[in-house]
Amino acid sequence: MQRPTIADIALRAGVSKGAVSFALNGRPGVSEATRARILRVAEEINWRPHSAARALGGARADAVGLVIARPARTLGVEPFFARLLSGLQAEFSSQSIALHLMIVEDTQAEIEIYRSWVSERRVDGLVLIDLKVRDPRIAVVEQLEIPAVVVGGPGRHGRVSSVWADDRAAMLSAVEYLAVLGHTRIAHVSGLPEFQHTQRRSRALRDAATRLTLPRARSLHTDFSDAQGAAATRKLLAGAGRPTAIIYDSDLMAVAGLGVALEMGVAVPHELSIVSFDDSVLAQLTHPSLTALSRDTYRFGVQAAQTMMAVLANPTKTKNHKTETPRLITRESTSPTRN
Amino acid sequence: MQRPTIADIALRAGVSKGAVSFALNGRPGVSEATRARILRVAEEINWRPHSAARALGGARADAVGLVIARPARTLGVEPFFARLLSGLQAEFSSQSIALHLMIVEDTQAEIEIYRSWVSERRVDGLVLIDLKVRDPRIAVVEQLEIPAVVVGGPGRHGRVSSVWADDRAAMLSAVEYLAVLGHTRIAHVSGLPEFQHTQRRSRALRDAATRLTLPRARSLHTDFSDAQGAAATRKLLAGAGRPTAIIYDSDLMAVAGLGVALEMGVAVPHELSIVSFDDSVLAQLTHPSLTALSRDTYRFGVQAAQTMMAVLANPTKTKNHKTETPRLITRESTSPTRN
DNA sequence: TCCGTTCACTAGACCGGTTTATCATTGCCG
DNA sequence: CGGCAATGATAAACCGGTCTAGTGAACGGA
């Protein structure tokens, strides 16, 4: 038989469509007795709402959108996304909210997707990641007037809510730790320079270097890939006055860098200390295991989802949720300098 | 201003709603001149279709559903999912199909989600992963009459299409390789026994053991976590007549197992050879690097997506796409036995 | 007793498209 | 020139819900 509609329920229960709608949505306007009867009939004929019909009336889509503008191939490699995604989705699941996911080439395409999803009412909100320095998405999201959460602030994101960790404090703690161990030549293999978090970390390193008078502190930009992480390491270790410590912006690059060091005969940690700005099994399973700035990325995703749901509940209120600052976990890849 | 509708276009172009609909959908019923005029107006006022309204009329949702019934936390750790997901999505993106994603607790909840997504017309098709031995989802999907693709067959999945790799042949190649190196005591740290691919691999090992007369070949089941992988390894290495080679069903477990071996003072590869049934940077970056059965999981995802689209185009035809058999990549973690 | 309120419920418009039935023109053919 | 088909366009129904205005009855207070 055809899919049952509320009209069928109304017919069987002997009431009007409106009454059925009220009853099914737990709104006032029907007596408890009638409500119970309607629910029973709905159950009997196995009725389910037609989301499209609901959406036409302006109701929720019960989905949140996430667009990732990075090469698809790199995503499977980078543990960060997968963990963030599972955290996000785990929390959304508890409210039966699905994640509408799409991977695109660039920010322009991403914006196009936002426009169409919003105008087609496919999603109730958007999660933005990889905030850039002058990010064009912010204006678009504000103009579209859709609830949104930026993962990774704080920065210029106007009235849009955000969830962020204190990258600066984390970087400072890593640099100070290395300085205490006697390191003065500290390098930083960072991510894409257009990302705000990359900039914050690089700036924190510069500031710390000035304060602690570390002469050769510098950041080398990469695209986050293990290949470029390895290349940057090779360049650093081949040059004169090579660093005695390197901080990597991702554990994947740190592991790649470790491989290069071993290959070049540079002993870790005795000749080179390595710190990863991201922690995962990857960092724990290498030998030597990697000292890392650790945070619970899964939990970060959960908090992003919670913020999203708060914004959905009250779209006018901007929330800026600061999560725990990544803590330095010392493992085998760092040690005092030898002088 | 309000979102423009086809009524607005009709007004401006001086035609009826119906004519606009015909023009926008490239159907006959309007002259070329009128069509051009309508398209121009639509462009001018930046009109976009309202998917909900379309769906109400029975049109496509332009989304494919994927439900994962595993603990959310483990997903971020396991590289396989992330790579599969990016392959899937990369291919779907090319047709502007979004992925509707949800993580749930168990198969029962997964089935509930299928029912609601289908009846709410949220998705055009479903991708099923982790096929179980007598998988209840198959019957549900057939009953719902929704296009579906099973990732990882072949097995009992009725008329539902599938994309699969020859696990059996892959396992045989690994065992034969180890046998040629002189190994006779080969263990297998496998995944959950209810999964069809786990069973196929275990059975292949048994068959090979019989044919090659390897006495102590056996499979230990785990839940795919690094913790259980490590525990299984510890158990294997602590016992008397310990294996000289272990095959792990995932690279994560292989890396964990490698850690345990090093910790227990068992030299790899001289005292113990390790083979991973899955390859990723993880396997390449350890020291020693891991011999692995390698396949392009990203590509696997792409092929799954292609199959899905083929099924969407022609739902009556079942497709069973066999992908490349995982090839053994020998690295540093395997060597001949010492006698 | 009468009026104002509240309550339970109904009828019907509405959301933004698609589709069908219908109609007016025009062109062609015998 | 009459008849028929093809073409281009329209009006209105329809999809399955939500939501608002309105109705009738019961109830309470002055």
Side-chain angles (χ1 to χ4, degrees):
Chain A
M1 102 151 200
Q2 284 297 340
R3 124 198 287 282
T5 72
I6 55 166
D8 298 323
I9 302 178
L11 199 65
R12 293 209 187 202
V15 292
S16 68
K17 273 171 65 183
V20 174
S21 179
F22 291 143
L24 292 171
N25 292 295
R27 311 161 104 276
V30 282
S31 65
E32 276 314 309
T34 311
R35 183 187 304 278
R37 184 157 43 91
I38 290 172
L39 291 179
R40 188 152 34 78
V41 173
E43 176 79 13
E44 260 173 41
I45 65 175
N46 196 26
W47 173 87
R48 289 176 186 255
H50 191 307
S51 72
R54 274 219 168 116
L56 247 194
R60 285 280 174 85
D62 281 331
V64 166
L66 173 64
V67 181
I68 303 176
R70 285 204 198 179
R73 253 190 196 270
T74 69
L75 292 181
V77 173
E78 176 67 84
F80 178 82
F81 279 111
R83 282 178 295 164
L84 182 74
L85 207 65
S86 44
L88 275 173
Q89 184 39 55
E91 186 62 18
F92 283 140
S93 290
S94 70
Q95 308 284 317
S96 294
I97 293 174
L99 202 61
H100 212 65
L101 177 73
M102 198 136 173
I103 298 173
V104 298
E105 282 302 308
D106 52 36
T107 305
Q108 208 45 51
E110 184 175 346
I111 287 175
E112 271 311 296
I113 299 293
Y114 286 162
R115 288 193 194 283
S116 62
W117 280 0
V118 170
S119 69
E120 295 172 17
R121 304 267 165 77
R122 279 179 185 282
V123 297
D124 301 322
L126 293 171
V127 175
L128 275 62
I129 56 174
D130 289 338
L131 190 64
K132 295 189 180 173
V133 175
R134 254 182 303 279
D135 202 306
R137 295 174 298 173
I138 299 299
V140 173
V141 164
E142 291 193 328
Q143 181 212 331
L144 290 173
E145 296 186 30
I146 180 152
V149 171
V150 169
V151 171
R156 303 247 155 270
H157 45 72
R159 295 179 289 102
V160 181
S161 293
S162 69
V163 174
W164 57 286
D166 195 339
D167 280 317
R168 180 183 176 80
M171 176 58 105
L172 293 180
S173 73
V175 176
E176 273 158 25
Y177 162 75
L178 290 171
V180 167
L181 290 181
H183 294 276
T184 54
R185 300 200 301 276
I186 300 174
H188 173 211
V189 174
S190 78
L192 290 165
E194 59 261 39
F195 288 158
Q196 289 199 5
H197 55 255
T198 299
Q199 292 221 339
R200 274 198 304 282
R201 294 176 188 184
S202 300
R203 198 173 304 127
L205 173 65
R206 274 208 309 280
D207 294 351
T210 306
R211 185 155 49 81
L212 302 169
T213 54
L214 311 172
R216 307 179 57 94
R218 57 175 177 147
S219 295
L220 260 73
H221 298 307
T222 71
D223 65 352
F224 284 110
S225 71
D226 54 330
Q228 290 205 9
T233 307
R234 200 163 279 123
K235 189 173 160 195
L236 284 168
L237 296 184
R242 72 180 188 215
T244 60
I246 304 180
I247 300 172
Y248 292 87
D249 260 7
S250 79
D251 51 355
L252 184 67
M253 291 198 295
V255 174
L258 172 63
V260 168
L262 295 182
E263 172 197 315
M264 292 176 74
V266 177
V268 177
H270 302 299
E271 296 177 85
L272 176 71
S273 285
I274 287 182
V275 176
S276 165
F277 210 112
D278 197 11
D279 195 16
S280 76
V281 267
L282 220 59
Q284 295 161 42
L285 293 174
T286 54
H287 287 272
S289 57
L290 299 179
T291 293
L293 284 159
S294 182
R295 74 166 158 202
D296 191 336
T297 309
Y298 176 87
R299 182 134 180 275
F300 192 52
V302 168
Q303 291 169 322
Q306 286 170 341
T307 304
M308 181 80 251
M309 297 195 298
V311 174
L312 286 176
N314 184 357
T316 57
K317 201 163 148 202
T318 298
K319 285 195 62 166
N320 284 296
H321 183 90
K322 179 182 170 185
T323 63
E324 52 170 356
T325 301
R327 284 188 325 107
L328 194 73
I329 308 283
T330 56
R331 298 206 183 88
E332 302 159 1
S333 67
T334 46
S335 71
T337 50
R338 281 183 301 179
N339 45 335
Chain B
M1 102 152 202
Q2 285 297 339
R3 126 200 283 281
T5 71
I6 56 166
D8 299 322
I9 302 178
L11 199 65
R12 294 211 186 200
V15 293
S16 69
K17 275 171 62 184
V20 174
S21 179
F22 290 144
L24 292 170
N25 292 294
R27 312 161 104 276
V30 283
S31 65
E32 276 315 309
T34 311
R35 182 188 305 277
R37 183 157 43 91
I38 290 173
L39 290 179
R40 189 152 32 80
V41 172
E43 175 80 14
E44 260 173 42
I45 64 175
N46 196 26
W47 172 87
R48 284 163 192 272
H50 190 307
S51 73
R54 273 216 169 122
L56 206 45
R60 284 279 175 85
D62 281 331
V64 167
L66 174 64
V67 181
I68 303 177
R70 284 205 199 179
R73 251 189 199 273
T74 68
L75 292 182
V77 174
E78 175 68 83
F80 177 81
F81 279 111
R83 283 177 292 164
L84 181 74
L85 207 63
S86 45
L88 274 173
Q89 185 39 57
E91 186 63 18
F92 283 140
S93 289
S94 70
Q95 307 283 318
S96 293
I97 293 174
L99 201 61
H100 211 66
L101 177 73
M102 197 136 175
I103 298 173
V104 298
E105 281 302 306
D106 51 36
T107 305
Q108 208 45 51
E110 183 175 346
I111 287 175
E112 272 311 296
I113 298 294
Y114 286 162
R115 287 193 194 284
S116 62
W117 282 359
V118 170
S119 68
E120 295 172 17
R121 305 267 165 80
R122 280 180 185 282
V123 296
D124 301 322
L126 294 171
V127 175
L128 276 62
I129 57 173
D130 288 338
L131 191 64
K132 294 189 179 173
V133 174
R134 253 181 304 278
D135 203 306
R137 297 174 297 175
I138 299 300
V140 173
V141 163
E142 291 194 328
Q143 180 211 332
L144 290 173
E145 294 185 31
I146 182 156
V149 171
V150 169
V151 170
R156 302 247 156 270
H157 44 73
R159 293 180 290 102
V160 182
S161 293
S162 69
V163 174
W164 57 286
D166 194 337
D167 281 318
R168 180 183 176 79
M171 177 57 105
L172 293 180
S173 74
V175 175
E176 273 158 24
Y177 162 76
L178 290 171
V180 166
L181 290 181
H183 295 274
T184 55
R185 299 201 302 275
I186 300 175
H188 172 213
V189 174
S190 78
L192 290 165
E194 59 261 39
F195 289 158
Q196 290 200 5
H197 55 255
T198 299
Q199 292 221 340
R200 273 198 304 281
R201 294 175 187 184
S202 300
R203 198 173 305 128
L205 173 65
R206 274 208 309 280
D207 293 351
T210 305
R211 186 156 48 82
L212 302 169
T213 53
L214 311 172
R216 305 178 59 94
R218 57 175 176 148
S219 295
L220 260 72
H221 297 308
T222 72
D223 65 354
F224 282 112
S225 70
D226 55 330
Q228 290 205 10
T233 307
R234 201 162 278 123
K235 189 173 159 194
L236 284 169
L237 296 183
R242 71 180 190 214
T244 60
I246 304 180
I247 300 172
Y248 292 87
D249 260 7
S250 78
D251 50 357
L252 183 68
M253 291 198 294
V255 174
L258 172 62
V260 168
L262 296 183
E263 173 197 315
M264 292 176 74
V266 177
V268 176
H270 302 299
E271 294 177 86
L272 176 70
S273 285
I274 288 182
V275 176
S276 165
F277 210 112
D278 197 10
D279 195 15
S280 75
V281 266
L282 221 60
Q284 295 161 42
L285 292 173
T286 54
H287 286 275
S289 57
L290 300 179
T291 293
L293 283 160
S294 182
R295 73 165 159 204
D296 192 337
T297 309
Y298 176 88
R299 182 132 182 275
F300 192 52
V302 168
Q303 291 169 321
Q306 286 170 341
T307 304
M308 181 80 250
M309 298 195 296
V311 175
L312 286 176
N314 184 357
T316 57
K317 201 166 149 201
T318 300
K319 285 193 62 165
N320 285 293
H321 184 90
K322 180 182 170 185
T323 63
E324 51 171 354
T325 300
R327 282 187 327 106
L328 194 73
I329 307 283
T330 56
R331 297 206 183 89
E332 302 159 0
S333 66
T334 46
S335 71
T337 50
R338 282 184 301 178
N339 45 334

